[in-house]
Amino acid sequence: MSLMELRKVWGSAPLLAVSVGVFIRDEHGRVLLQRRGDDGRWSEPGGALDPGEDFLTGARRELLEETGLTCDDLALLPLPEGLQDGPDLYGRYPNGHEIYVVGRRALGTLPAAALEHAAPDDSGETLELAWFALDALPDLSSNANRRSLSVLRARVGLPPLPLAPTPPPPPLGNHLMDLRKLVGPRPLFSPGANVLVTDDHSRLLLLRHGGTRKWTLPGGGLEPGETFEQTAARELLEETGLTAARLEPLEMYAGPAYRFTYPNGDTVDNVSVLYRAHGVTGDLTPQDGEVLETGWFGVDDLPDDDELSGELIRANVRHWREGQSTQP
């Protein structure tokens, strides 16, 4: 379901907005910004993904809708600088709708003269487009814009932009389950994180999930105001009793390939960051009810694909297996 559809049943309370920010720079190092129709302030082009959409497809669509431009070299920024998440990315629209932005950042280049051919759509989202130097930015619309532009500023040695104060995030609960009570089994974005944990014998930890009865990785869903890394650490502890000294982001997965339908019919569009755990401590203690059993698997004895819990977990396991095959 789209954000607009969710608002009809959820009201104005905070929602996770799975979004992509699009940064276009010209030959002078300036960045393209739009003056927004909702608050009159400036932001990069971008917005919420459509159901089932991947981030790069969403970035291209939003750029075209809000500027009328296309960019051949548009690409997602690498992790971790390409990630959008955390309590600072709270936003409240003039109509009272509250969000926490989570997602990615994309970057591309166009000549300054491309702006002469800009043609935003007639939605009213874009009032004006202009190039700005990174050390002479206008009044920005939100912390999401400030955080993202600080990433670009850091690349040229400029300090981060100050952030506006934000309210404390809601207490941890089960955001996805709360939405399910209102929307039924229809597809919902499910931002979250999974964790690769290995032992001293280079074996991968897998968990047999109580709901699907298939093998999965430690991990789960992100709550409003959490970072992906905080989600990974929390879920690792809850499901296994283990703690990591450091979590290294490896890859982010989103798009139609990672849609998953649970046995009860509930459907999610997974938007997931894969982490590798370093410095793992604690006693392996499976979470009662959610984890039926645990297992350590080497490259040659991994479960078959049909025993793994969906394409997201299969992709995560492939990432680990391919990494093992390239090690000396």
Side-chain angles (χ1 to χ4, degrees), residues 3 15-19 48 93 99-103:
L3 274 177
L15 283 171
L16 293 169
V18 178
S19 305
Y93 292 102
I99 62 167
Y100 283 93
V101 172
V102 296

Side-chain angles (χ1 to χ4, degrees), residues 137-190:
L137 295 168
D139 182 24
L140 296 172
S141 180
S142 73
N143 278 350
N145 312 133
R146 298 179 190 100
R147 278 263 302 270
S148 293
L149 284 161
S150 290
V151 169
L152 299 188
R153 284 165 61 92
R155 288 184 164 202
V156 296
L158 292 170
L161 297 169
L163 299 178
T166 57
L172 292 178
N174 193 320
H175 186 66
L176 189 63
M177 186 175 293
D178 291 341
L179 290 174
R180 280 280 171 228
K181 295 173 184 176
L182 298 174
V183 305
R186 286 177 287 179
L188 289 171
F189 279 114
S190 180

Side-chain angles (χ1 to χ4, degrees), residues 41-324:
R41 295 186 290 175
W42 294 84
S43 74
E44 77 275 13
L49 295 192
D50 287 337
E53 196 171 42
D54 66 76
F55 283 108
L56 192 54
T57 300
R60 291 171 176 146
R61 174 183 54 76
E62 289 285 346
L63 180 64
L64 183 63
E65 290 174 359
E66 296 182 353
T67 71
L69 301 174
T70 59
C71 178
D72 290 341
D73 68 355
L74 191 65
L76 298 178
L77 283 173
L79 306 184
E81 67 177 358
L83 277 182
Q84 300 192 90
D85 60 7
D88 292 334
L89 298 198
Y90 168 87
R92 187 176 187 274
Y93 292 102
N95 64 4
H97 292 171
E98 298 176 272
I99 62 167
Y100 283 93
V101 172
V102 296
R104 290 297 294 267
R105 303 178 177 104
L107 178 65
T109 58
L110 285 173
L115 197 55
E116 299 170 10
H117 308 289
D121 65 19
D122 60 2
S123 67
E125 287 189 63
T126 303
L127 301 180
E128 183 182 357
L129 292 164
W131 296 106
F132 291 92
L134 289 171
D135 60 356
L137 295 168
D139 182 24
L140 296 172
S141 180
S142 73
N143 278 350
N145 312 133
R146 298 179 190 100
R147 278 263 302 270
S148 293
L149 284 161
S150 290
V151 169
L152 299 188
R153 284 165 61 92
R155 288 184 164 202
V156 296
L158 292 170
L161 297 169
L163 299 178
T166 57
L172 292 178
N174 193 320
H175 186 66
L176 189 63
M177 186 175 293
D178 291 341
L179 290 174
R180 280 280 171 228
K181 295 173 184 176
L182 298 174
V183 305
R186 286 177 287 179
L188 289 171
F189 279 114
S190 180
N194 291 323
V195 186
L196 298 175
V197 178
T198 54
D199 66 6
D200 294 338
H201 304 287
S202 298
R203 297 179 302 176
L204 179 67
L205 176 64
L206 295 178
L207 316 176
R208 191 180 292 278
H209 191 271
T212 63
R213 298 187 176 273
K214 293 181 180 289
W215 292 103
T216 188
L217 292 168
L222 184 145
E223 292 293 309
E226 271 193 314
T227 65
F228 286 98
E229 184 174 332
Q230 287 171 335
T231 299
R234 175 176 55 77
E235 290 286 345
L236 177 63
L237 180 62
E238 289 176 0
E239 293 186 343
T240 70
L242 302 176
T243 301
R246 181 170 67 91
L247 289 165
E248 175 192 2
L250 302 176
E251 186 60 83
M252 191 173 195
Y253 300 84
Y258 307 110
R259 176 169 284 189
F260 182 78
T261 300
Y262 287 93
N264 67 358
D266 291 349
T267 300
V268 294
D269 285 325
N270 284 303
V271 177
S272 181
V273 180
L274 178 64
Y275 288 88
R276 178 183 286 119
H278 297 272
V280 176
T281 56
D283 296 323
L284 181 56
T285 308
Q287 185 178 13
D288 187 38
E290 185 159 338
V291 178
L292 299 181
E293 67 175 301
T294 64
W296 296 97
F297 295 87
V299 170
D300 297 327
D301 60 359
L302 287 164
D304 293 336
D305 275 1
D306 61 1
E307 295 181 81
L308 296 174
S309 185
E311 181 54 33
L312 173 64
I313 301 303
R314 289 191 281 270
N316 292 168
V317 171
R318 281 197 301 271
H319 185 106
W320 175 76
R321 184 174 59 221
E322 291 163 4
Q324 294 298 105

